[in-house]
Amino acid sequence: MVAKRACLANSGILSDQPPPSFASILQLKWHIGTILVLLINILVLFRFWINLLLAFWEGAGFCLGFVPSEGWIETYDYRGVLIMEEQLKELTEKVAALESSSGVTNTMFAETYYYLTIALMVVIHAGFLAYEMGASRHKNVLASGIKNILAFAFVIPAFYFIGWWVYWAFPTGISLSAGPNGISGAAYANEIALPWVEYMGPNIADNASGVFWGAFALFAATTASIFSGAVIERIQVVGFLILAIVLGAVAWVVAAAWGWHSDGWLVQNWGYHDFGAAGVVHMVAGFFALGVLINLGPRIGRFNADGTANAMGAHNLPLTLVGLMMIIVGFWGFLMACVIVPGEAWSWFGDKWATIYGTPVTLSALAFNILMGFAGGIIGAWLVTRDPFWMMSGALAGIISCASGLDLWWPPLALAIGFVGGAALKPAADFLEKRGIDDAVGAVTVHGTIGIWGVMAVGIFAIGYPALGGEGAPTVSFIGQLVGVIVMFLLGFVPGYVISLVLKGMGLLRVGEEAELAGLDMTKVPVSAYPEGINTSTAPAE
Amino acid sequence: MGSSFNNWDAVEGAYYMGAGTSWEGIWSLVALAICIIALIAGSRHELEAYKKVAKK
């Protein structure tokens, strides 16, 4: 027993000391509990402490020039200032990149905008094609189509070689001097618009010239198509093409340079305002046609010996009506192309659309007034005629009536102006007919006469508006618009009359009497329009 | 004729075939000639067609 007790005493299990008291045990437990609480605290709040430590580390690092995520950076100065400078530099670079990107986007938008106007304006020509073929008698259907197609084909290169240069050279008149805006005159035109300068072909630094030229080329082709309808069924094709080239590459272009250019003398001196080209396109083309019609004469059988007229109805009125609607669709592109896109080096404004004169406009203004004029024109023609041909012509007349002031009209006024244009159509056409003028599709009336109304409407209802942007601009006036009307009439009528007179003398104006009576398709078109007949169809030429 | 550059990165301005050379003028004349010859030929064909109809 003694040995066993000694053994236990040596191993420490059995002590000679008295057993621990209750208080000492309680103290030991307290220490253990404190340690456990601390451990739990550390474990539970570990993430908090780590974050706190990292935050301190980061803050201290900035002060010491050490960025934990980037390491020590080369410094010479107070670290916070350096970091800010670097951030500013980085921000500046980002802003420059954004500006560059934004500039490219704007340039691409501007280029695409005008590109699409060209496509839309081609629809005008699809419409004129259908319109004229439908308005022809069935013996002349394809000859009328050929004439229209070729007008497009010859006016485009003519405008490339001549017209574009004329537009930029002539604004100040025949002096060919530079205008106040410095974007006109022979020297300027030689620099940008001669056929062999670098801007007149693919150029990686020039996104504008091609689409601008294209839009203007389509305006030019439109003048030829307007004229084309008036002279169907008796004009020689080549004689017609020579006239179309004179109109599309010279006559209307001089009008545009004078009245549709910010340096144009009509604008600078008279405050002439013609936003949608009622004068420079429609009037010039319409009265050019009148000048030609006087020398060309009416179709055989159109008038009786006593001067009364015989109807020569369209062989396919539905085709004519659809053609007219297509012309109107295309005119949305035409009028869209009359707007200057903002934000480019050549733009008037950095932040808003402008007219060709540098005055503000919106596409919404066009939407309001084109549609209201369109509606007014139909209603006016319907009330007067009840005839679908004149109603659709009235739609076009309504738009032309509002064209000069599309940027300015209050929409209900646009409807009223369009209404007057639509209602005036038939009486104006009858006036010409009574004087022995055979205008087969009413082109002189729709474009010429109604064009006068469109230009003068601005001189009646929009007096006082500044005609140009900036200080001291001339203002729109009745007299200024009247001067514009006289100039546009002369620029259309005189060359039309003179050139057609010369062609008549050369035997190049009118087809032979036998050919006219037999039909032009049978005479010179190697295919038949209706080989299975809608009535009887002519045989193709050999 | 043809191109004077062999790397598109070097292109900064006009890059059409014959840019800055006499080919611009030559092709302009060719295009004009096409139009004028077509008009003359078209006129001849047309006048002959009218004469043919008149003879019948």
Side-chain angles (χ1 to χ4, degrees), chain A residues 154 157 161 195-198 201-205 235-238 241-242 245 507-508 511-512 514-515 518 520 523-524 542, chain B residues 8 11-16 24-25 27-28 31-32 34-36 38-40 42-43 45-47 49-50 52-54 56:
Chain A
F154 279 91
F161 289 119
W196 44 82
V197 299
E198 61 176 332
N203 186 322
I204 209 160
I235 196 167
Q236 287 188 29
V237 168
V238 173
L241 291 175
I242 292 168
I245 288 168
L508 288 174
V511 303
E514 298 82 0
L520 300 180
T523 303
K524 57 186 179 181
E542 292 174 5
Chain B
W8 282 103
V11 178
E12 291 179 344
Y15 63 90
Y16 51 86
E24 290 170 336
W27 284 114
S28 294
L32 275 172
I34 288 170
C35 295
I36 293 166
L39 282 175
I40 294 168
S43 183
H45 168 262
E46 195 175 14
L47 292 174
Y50 300 144
K52 203 180 285 181
V53 172
K56 285 181 181 176

Side-chain angles (χ1 to χ4, degrees), chain A residues 425-490:
Chain A
L425 266 184
K426 188 66 167 62
D430 291 344
F431 176 84
L432 279 180
E433 191 177 87
K434 283 175 185 167
R435 278 145 190 82
I437 302 294
D438 179 17
D439 180 0
V441 296
V444 177
T445 303
V446 174
H447 300 275
T449 310
I450 302 302
I452 293 177
W453 165 233
V455 173
M456 288 315 301
V458 172
I460 295 168
F461 300 114
I463 294 171
Y465 274 102
L468 289 161
E471 292 290 326
T475 55
V476 171
S477 67
F478 182 86
I479 296 297
Q481 296 300 104
L482 186 62
V483 169
V485 161
I486 293 166
V487 169
M488 297 307 151
F489 174 84
L490 293 174

